[in-house]
Amino acid sequence: MAPPDSPLPDLPGWSRLRADLSASLVVFLVAVPLSLGIALASGAPIMAGLIAAVVGGIVAGLLGGSPLQVSGPAAGLTVVVADLIVRFGWELTGLITVLAGLLQMLFGVSRLARFATAIPPAVVHGMLAGIGATIALAQLHVVLGGAPRTGAVDSVLQLPGQLAGLEGHAVLVGLVTIAVVLVWPRMPRRLRVVPGPLIAVGTATALAVWWPDVPRVDLPGGLLEAVAVPSVLPEGGQWVGVGAGAVTVAVIASVESLLSAVAVHRLRPGVRADPDRELLGQGAANTLSGLAGGLPVTGVIVRSSANVAAGARTRASAVLHGVWIAVFAIALVGAVERVPLAALAGLLVVVGAQLIKPADLRTARRHGELPIYLATALGVTLFTLLEGVAIGLAVAGIIMLRRAVRARIRLEPPGPTGAEHRIVVDGTLSFLSVPALSRVLAQVPAGEPVRIDLPVDYLDHTASDHLDTWTRTHRATGAEVDMREPGHPAADRPRPRSATWSQWRTHGPDPEEVARVDGSPSAPMLAGVAAYQAHTAGLIQPTLHRLASGQTPAGLLLTCADSRVVPNVITHSGPGDLFTVQNVGNLVAGTATHAAVQYALTELRVPLIAVCGHSGCGAMRGLLTATGRAPRGPLDQWLRSGAPSLHALRAGHPVGRAARAAGRSEVDALAMVNVALQLDQLRRHGARAELMGLFFDIPSAQVLVLDRDTGRFQPVTNPPPTAADADNPSA
């Protein structure tokens, strides 16, 4: 089973089919217990979960726009479907699914896919967390020998009584299921080829053989008998509710499917996705699933990631997994009826809990969107899904409005070399910010000089009048006030965004800001520090203040120590975003590098490790010229760690062949192979993180990403949203 980030060349037809066949069996084993459990949690007929899995796999697999995405019933819609069944009954819920599918196809034809991903990721992740909490709390009662409750609040209130009255063997069956699911990922890799949910449900079923009193799945017939076209139409007053339900299912299913497709693209960057076609495929699948008596269908990341990890190459894997589920549901109904309900409930408790991801909380906190996440999660948990999402969107709007109208005001006291205070105001300086501005101005002692910089986006009359009044008052004390606004010659000198020291000297930081030391090697460094203090420190100080208690980086970047490779510039990152390690040749070698990787994985728990090489690398050139020569010092000894990369290049490594075919020099081809080899070494050392290969082409200033399918480094032609946007953990 090839990891999703390993650089593999394209496969011939038969090998591709064999890879898809193998992957489809893995996904089939993952999908069956999850589909049964989601149907149970929704209050739908158990077979409805398998019908949705079959239709989702075959129809969405054939028609969807993300070839490696696997579709089926998803935990993210469980609460919605359960509410619809309670309000309208199962047959009308099937009609709602049909209408939702038709709406999704309309979304696809109208090319609205790009707008679905505009929903703030904190709202999506908070919604999933609320759904997960509701599922876990409701199914926990089933694990403990009771019946599922109707809501999260009721589940919590009734939990003490449920715990006090534990009895029956179903409790043991449910707890065993939970334990196996949690322990299985820690088992040896050879055993983990078999999916954990299947092992858990199989173990619980075998255990329940000894206890006839344990409730089991009840199927009135097989798959074909369960297929039923909705034959009931809404009564007069129900049409509005049915229409609202269809819109809700269509929107949530579309957002989940698109976010899952983005996540699949991250796992296999070389696979292109068409979001509008994806909505057409999902809509067709939901229409047919509703007509056949199945649950709503979405693209789901758990099955999709299993598909990618198992080595799937084409959409045939998703289609075949649907075929296997159909065969299973027709021929092995007896096996399904032996599964204890407590086992499926235990599986759902874990699935629900896993929807509450600490990484989403950290991401929301890092981006200042934790209130949005918490408001959405609590709203979904305490009220309904639509109300919770509405609350989250309202909080997001308030935060956005606050950021739009807020001015950032800071006072810098005079330093040891200067005698003036400095006030910097940026953002939108309106009447809403006048109280904060007044407090800062009041901190300037009477009679002392002050400089006020106003690089603001907007300055209204109230704030301008307040500044003029204060300036006149302060000057009356004998102090000098230097007001610098846009348009002032000193304020308008261009300063390039990612400038070198030579560019700063050309454009010049203000002369009074830099204590130059002519002829001193420290002069550029001092000039840079002074420019940072003058123009950057205030901008990033709020971020650094939040990070003062610790760091939660989004990934580890291992790159070369070359002075032309500036990690935060080529990744457009800032403080707290990346844990960076730089050494000569970006090698995974030496105690220091291994210690940094261990710290990033075990202490910081980074979900991503990226290795970045670059063009014209001196270390790679040294490797090419040092062949057969005795080590001549620490540098040559260090470069010996890169010898396997040189051997791989000369042995015809696919990444090297692709680089040479693209016209790359031998040095650059070696640098690209070296990135692939360092990723392999991280994988051999058991790095539990997503791995990514990057290459910085210095002359073109382009960052290329390693495509595992072709073995080529390619530009990011369609940048996906942030990691937080892509990580939809719905089952």
Side-chain angles (χ1 to χ4, degrees):
M1 183 183 306
D5 52 350
S6 60
L8 294 178
D10 199 12
L11 298 177
W14 168 244
S15 297
R16 210 162 39 235
L17 177 60
R18 186 170 55 188
D20 286 333
L21 180 62
S22 174
S24 70
L25 291 171
V26 172
V27 181
F28 156 70
L29 296 176
V30 172
V32 168
L34 289 176
S35 300
L36 294 172
I38 289 167
L40 174 68
S42 302
I46 292 292
M47 195 59 76
L50 295 178
I51 292 173
V54 172
V55 174
I58 296 175
V59 177
L62 285 172
L63 303 179
S66 181
L68 299 186
Q69 175 153 276
V70 180
S71 300
L77 277 170
T78 300
V79 174
V80 178
V81 174
D83 179 62
L84 292 175
I85 292 174
V86 170
R87 290 167 56 195
F88 301 111
W90 172 240
E91 285 208 58
L92 277 184
T93 301
L95 177 62
I96 289 172
T97 302
V98 173
L99 295 175
L102 295 174
L103 276 174
Q104 283 184 285
M105 288 193 283
L106 180 61
F107 294 163
V109 171
S110 305
R111 306 184 69 82
L112 295 177
R114 59 189 182 277
F115 296 109
T117 54
I119 297 176
V123 172
V124 176
H125 296 147
M127 176 191 75
L128 292 171
I131 290 171
T134 304
I135 293 172
L137 289 170
Q139 295 303 313
L140 185 59
H141 285 271
V142 180
V143 171
L144 298 176
R149 301 297 171 177
T150 56
V153 175
D154 184 49
S155 297
V156 172
L157 293 177
Q158 299 298 327
L159 190 57
Q162 189 70 60
L163 289 170
L166 289 179
E167 61 181 23
H169 297 111
V171 178
L172 184 58
V173 170
L175 294 177
V176 166
T177 304
I178 294 174
V180 173
V181 173
L182 294 177
V183 170
W184 195 251
R186 296 172 174 79
M187 299 298 286
R189 186 183 298 272
R190 292 191 302 274
L191 295 178
R192 284 189 278 121
V193 172
V194 184
L198 182 68
I199 293 296
V201 172
T203 302
T205 303
L207 185 64
V209 169
W210 304 98
W211 300 317
D213 61 316
V214 175
R216 288 170 167 78
V217 171
D218 181 23
L219 295 178
L223 180 70
L224 299 179
E225 290 83 352
V227 174
V229 177
S231 58
V232 177
L233 292 177
E235 298 177 359
Q238 291 181 315
W239 276 106
V240 174
V242 167
V247 172
T248 302
V249 172
V251 171
I252 295 174
S254 299
V255 171
E256 286 203 31
S257 297
L258 293 175
L259 290 177
S260 178
V262 170
V264 172
H265 175 77
R266 284 180 172 274
L267 293 173
R268 189 72 67 79
V271 178
R272 300 288 179 258
D274 182 340
D276 294 309
R277 178 179 171 180
E278 181 63 27
L279 290 188
L280 286 170
Q282 294 293 334
N286 268 317
T287 302
L288 291 177
S289 182
L291 288 173
L295 288 170
V297 167
T298 77
V300 279
I301 189 56
V302 170
R303 274 159 268 186
S304 300
S305 59
N307 192 39
V308 174
R313 295 295 178 143
T314 70
R315 63 180 69 246
S317 175
V319 175
L320 285 172
H321 119 276
V323 173
W324 306 143
I325 294 176
V327 172
F328 173 84
I330 293 172
L332 298 174
V333 174
V336 177
E337 290 184 321
R338 294 179 181 274
V339 176
L341 293 178
L344 297 179
L347 178 62
L348 286 170
V349 168
V350 178
V351 169
Q354 288 176 342
L355 291 178
I356 308 171
K357 300 183 69 176
D360 292 339
L361 276 165
R362 291 193 297 267
T363 300
R365 179 176 177 271
R366 186 166 62 246
H367 291 281
E369 296 183 342
L370 188 58
I372 302 173
Y373 178 96
L374 295 177
T376 308
L378 289 174
V380 171
T381 304
L382 299 178
F383 306 108
T384 66
L385 187 138
L386 276 181
E387 290 172 329
V389 170
I391 291 171
L393 290 173
V395 173
I398 292 171
I399 290 177
M400 180 188 69
L401 181 63
R402 178 174 176 269
R403 289 172 177 170
V405 302
R406 184 186 64 177
R408 292 173 291 277
I409 307 167
R410 69 182 188 276
L411 171 64
E412 298 177 359
T417 60
E420 71 173 4
H421 294 261
R422 181 168 181 258
I423 295 174
V424 180
V425 184
D426 57 12
T428 300
L429 186 55
S430 68
F431 68 95
L432 296 172
S433 299
V434 167
L437 176 64
S438 181
R439 286 195 301 271
V440 173
L441 292 173
Q443 298 175 34
V444 180
E448 294 198 9
V450 62
R451 179 178 128 192
I452 303 176
D453 288 335
L454 295 171
V456 294
D457 302 322
Y458 174 73
L459 177 65
D460 76 354
H461 177 72
T462 304
S464 177
D465 183 70
H466 183 80
L467 279 170
D468 290 341
T469 302
W470 183 88
T471 299
R472 288 194 300 270
T473 303
H474 195 67
R475 282 173 177 164
T477 67
E480 179 183 349
V481 179
D482 179 12
M483 184 89 67
R484 300 192 180 189
E485 304 176 54
H488 188 287
D492 283 349
R493 281 203 299 272
R495 292 185 175 96
R497 291 190 62 179
S498 297
T500 65
W501 282 338
S502 61
Q503 288 171 309
W504 277 111
R505 282 181 173 275
T506 300
H507 293 276
D510 294 337
E512 65 269 22
E513 293 174 352
V514 183
R516 298 190 183 278
V517 183
D518 292 335
S520 169
S522 63
M525 181 76 74
L526 292 174
V529 171
Y532 161 79
Q533 290 294 146
H535 304 296
T536 307
L539 297 177
I540 67 172
Q541 188 275 334
T543 299
L544 291 172
H545 181 75
R546 290 198 306 269
L547 294 171
S549 59
Q551 57 174 322
T552 55
L556 163 65
L557 178 63
L558 171 60
T559 186
C560 189
D562 193 291
S563 64
R564 299 164 294 179
V565 181
V566 187
N568 67 299
V569 172
I570 66 174
T571 59
H572 205 70
S573 55
D577 290 335
L578 288 176
F579 185 69
T580 305
V581 178
Q582 292 185 267
N583 63 41
V584 176
N586 45 273
L587 300 174
V588 182
T591 302
T593 303
H594 285 292
V597 171
Q598 180 183 349
Y599 183 78
L601 291 172
T602 60
E603 300 298 328
L604 302 179
R605 300 187 182 279
V606 297
L608 168 73
I609 299 179
V611 178
C612 180
H614 67 94
S615 62
C617 180
M620 298 301 105
R621 187 175 290 110
L623 268 176
L624 288 168
T625 59
T627 305
R629 189 182 69 200
R632 296 186 300 182
L635 178 59
D636 280 355
Q637 292 175 355
W638 168 260
L639 290 179
R640 291 173 68 180
S641 302
S645 300
L646 181 60
H647 297 327
L649 174 69
R650 291 176 173 170
H653 194 281
V655 170
R657 290 203 307 269
R660 296 295 280 174
R664 294 280 179 182
S665 68
E666 189 177 22
V667 171
D668 288 2
L670 177 56
M672 291 178 168
V673 171
N674 184 57
V675 169
L677 266 289
Q678 302 314 308
L679 292 174
D680 288 343
Q681 184 160 338
L682 287 168
R683 199 173 299 113
R684 284 195 299 272
H685 281 77
R688 292 181 175 272
E690 180 182 343
L691 302 179
M692 177 185 293
L694 302 174
F695 183 83
F696 181 40
D697 186 60
I698 293 175
S700 66
Q702 296 295 307
V703 178
L704 310 178
V705 181
L706 180 60
D707 183 335
R708 78 178 292 269
D709 286 327
T710 62
R712 294 182 174 89
F713 282 85
Q714 299 180 345
V716 182
T717 55
N718 184 23
T722 62
D725 302 337
D727 293 338
N728 172 14
S730 171

